[in-house]
Amino acid sequence: MNLYFKEDEVCKEAEKLLLDDIFSSPADKEHYLVLFKEYRKLLKQMRRMVKMSDLMQNELKILSHKLEQMSSIDSLTGLFNRRYFNEVYQKEWLSACRSQVSLAALMLDIDNFKKYNDTYGHLRGDKCLQAVAEAVRKAVKRPRDMVARYGGEEFVIILTETDASGAFYIAEQAQNNVRQLKIEHTASSFQIVSVSIGVAAMIPSSENHPEELLNMADEALYRSKSNGRSSISLHTKE
Amino acid sequence: MNNLLIEKTQSTPTIQFDFLSNVLKISGESFPENTAKFYSPVLEWLREYIEQLDSATEVTMEFNIIYFNSSTSKIFMTIFDMLEGAVENGKKICVNWRCDEKNETAIECGEEFKEDLDVLPFNLIIEGDQ
């Protein structure tokens, strides 16, 4: 379809009038011709302006998409960042409240990461973070679930419509994936890089605060750490 | 005739129309809240300037615009129309449309403006990082 079919129709009509020579005097015809030429010129300009405007808008659209991505992604690991996690988590919490289904949170922390940095340096530390992030991400398969970098060497996973046992299974997957990386860590008693995980799940209600589930997962993570690390602990709401 | 100098703001470009050197510069970004209002003194100055111009004087109009809105493109079309009319009347005017090699949109828009012209010399100048 021609975007300017109406304008083209007007031009055709004008050309026809000129051909039919319906004007009462040559001066009238001349005047009409001048106006018609001006109309065609302005029309041509408008077409260009619309084209330029489309170009600009397209560029802005691409830029805004890039910015949105940049503001939601952690640049080191490529996982979602905490800012974006908070946003999504609030939505998932409300959705679970409404539909009264279980929501699960996993807190993961790389064991003895400070020692790793001290032993191998910060560059290797960054590489280790990237590898662990990827291994953890692979444990989560459903598109609505989310893995984010929560802090320095801490990650968080949100699993929708998942109860404690389902969440525990994912935690095992994540832990295995990290073990299988077999990243050397001589300062750790396991000799390889490992993660401790805290798991929590609950069916939230409007009486609960969204922080509760995350605090529960955090408490469970603390227990895993106290249990000698490289373990998974479960916290369930009574 | 006085020079026309307008400092740039966040949404309007720098205008440096130098009556003595006959170099007229528009540079920066252009998306004024009220485009017609912002450019009305600019167009007025140009009209007067062209009127007093003799056919020996060589005039260069420099555009270095990073971003502009649709209303601004309409104003630019109007400016090019005025300049084209002046060239048809024997005045020596040329336009330099300068843009960064990375700014593809500005380059493409420059091409669009250029294609619309018949007699006004319009140089698309693509500049790299110096």
Side-chain angles (χ1 to χ4, degrees):
Chain A
M1 189 198 116
N2 174 7
L3 205 55
Y4 301 95
F5 73 95
K6 195 85 196 165
E7 285 82 351
D8 287 347
E9 268 174 27
V10 171
C11 288
K12 267 189 204 138
E13 181 66 24
E15 274 162 14
K16 193 169 170 290
L17 289 179
L18 283 166
L19 272 178
D20 291 351
D21 214 356
I22 46 109
F23 302 95
S24 48
S25 74
D28 270 4
K29 186 178 180 180
E30 184 55 30
H31 193 186
Y32 187 85
L33 190 62
V34 169
L35 285 176
F36 177 43
K37 274 187 183 162
E38 193 62 24
Y39 175 79
R40 270 201 310 212
K41 188 177 152 189
L42 289 170
L43 175 60
K44 213 170 95 193
Q45 285 191 351
M46 188 186 71
R47 286 179 185 230
R48 288 194 196 283
M49 277 164 46
V50 169
K51 202 169 157 191
M52 281 189 262
S53 179
D54 284 353
L55 281 170
M56 289 279 186
Q57 275 176 35
N58 201 28
E59 190 183 278
L60 285 180
K61 185 88 196 112
I62 293 167
L63 278 176
S64 103
H65 182 70
K66 265 192 204 160
L67 270 178
E68 200 181 314
Q69 273 195 330
M70 274 161 65
S71 67
S72 64
I73 300 285
D74 169 60
S75 59
L76 180 70
T77 61
L79 296 179
F80 290 112
N81 60 22
R82 182 153 176 179
R83 194 198 63 76
Y84 188 69
F85 165 80
N86 288 339
E87 217 174 274
V88 173
Y89 177 66
Q90 293 295 328
K91 282 187 200 144
E92 292 298 356
W93 173 270
L94 290 175
S95 157
C97 273
R98 270 197 306 272
S99 48
Q100 282 298 289
V101 291
S102 182
L103 185 67
L106 280 69
M107 287 283 182
L108 301 86
D109 190 273
I110 302 178
D111 296 321
N112 301 305
F113 189 67
K114 192 185 172 307
K115 281 186 192 163
Y116 187 91
N117 269 335
D118 293 345
T119 314
Y120 300 101
H122 283 93
L123 280 179
R124 293 265 301 266
D126 283 353
K127 286 235 159 65
C128 172
L129 270 172
Q130 287 168 333
V132 171
E134 180 60 15
V136 171
R137 200 188 53 75
K138 274 187 188 156
V140 177
K141 305 265 194 304
R142 297 182 307 180
R144 211 173 128 189
D145 297 336
M146 173 188 222
V147 185
R149 187 173 178 201
Y150 201 63
E153 70 267 25
E154 207 172 340
F155 305 98
V156 61
I157 300 177
I158 289 299
L159 304 168
T160 57
E161 295 175 33
T162 306
D163 61 9
S165 65
F168 198 87
Y169 173 77
I170 297 293
E172 284 176 325
Q173 299 283 310
Q175 196 175 51
N176 275 333
N177 287 354
V178 174
R179 275 194 194 129
Q180 269 158 28
L181 292 173
K182 296 195 175 85
I183 303 172
E184 181 195 270
H185 189 352
T186 51
S188 156
S189 53
F190 309 105
Q191 298 296 304
I192 55 166
V193 168
S194 60
V195 286
S196 293
I197 306 177
V199 180
M202 70 190 287
I203 299 172
S205 79
S206 52
E207 286 157 31
N208 300 117
H209 192 271
E211 285 292 306
E212 273 179 53
L213 179 65
L214 298 177
N215 289 340
M216 281 158 58
D218 218 27
E219 278 168 33
L221 170 64
Y222 184 75
R223 246 192 2 261
S224 292
K225 290 276 177 198
S226 324
N227 287 346
R229 299 190 172 90
S230 191
S231 66
I232 304 170
S233 305
L234 180 66
H235 188 314
T236 41
K237 184 92 177 163
E238 294 306 316
Chain B
M1 208 180 159
N2 289 325
N3 294 336
L4 180 71
L5 294 171
I6 302 174
E7 293 262 344
K8 74 165 179 185
T9 69
Q10 213 186 356
S11 58
T12 58
T14 306
I15 310 282
Q16 292 165 296
F17 286 180
D18 192 329
F19 176 68
L20 288 179
S21 69
N22 297 297
V23 176
L24 319 179
K25 282 188 195 170
I26 299 185
S27 50
E29 295 185 282
S30 178
F31 50 103
E33 208 171 296
N34 187 336
T35 307
K37 193 176 165 197
F38 175 78
Y39 280 102
S40 129
V42 177
L43 294 179
E44 194 44 47
W45 192 96
L46 263 181
R47 213 164 276 134
E48 275 181 43
Y49 174 76
I50 290 170
E51 230 162 74
Q52 59 78 50
L53 207 57
D54 59 46
S55 47
T57 309
E58 291 186 9
V59 181
T60 311
M61 187 146 187
E62 299 269 359
F63 285 82
N64 198 338
I65 298 288
I66 304 157
Y67 174 81
F68 57 93
N69 64 6
S70 308
S71 313
T72 300
S73 71
K74 176 67 179 155
I75 296 285
F76 288 175
M77 293 276 192
T78 306
I79 291 177
F80 296 143
D81 262 0
M82 287 166 71
L83 300 182
E84 186 133 279
V87 171
E88 274 166 2
N89 287 327
K91 312 282 164 72
K92 288 197 180 71
I93 305 174
C94 81
V95 169
N96 289 336
W97 180 267
R98 295 181 185 275
C99 33
D100 188 285
E101 60 179 358
K102 287 191 221 98
N103 194 343
E104 276 174 45
T105 306
I107 297 171
E108 282 183 72
C109 289
E111 282 164 359
E112 288 294 327
F113 284 126
K114 189 183 165 86
E115 276 175 39
D116 201 53
L117 299 168
D118 294 320
V119 293
L120 175 69
F122 187 101
N123 309 308
L124 192 64
I125 301 171
I126 300 168
E127 293 164 328
D129 280 337
Q130 293 301 315

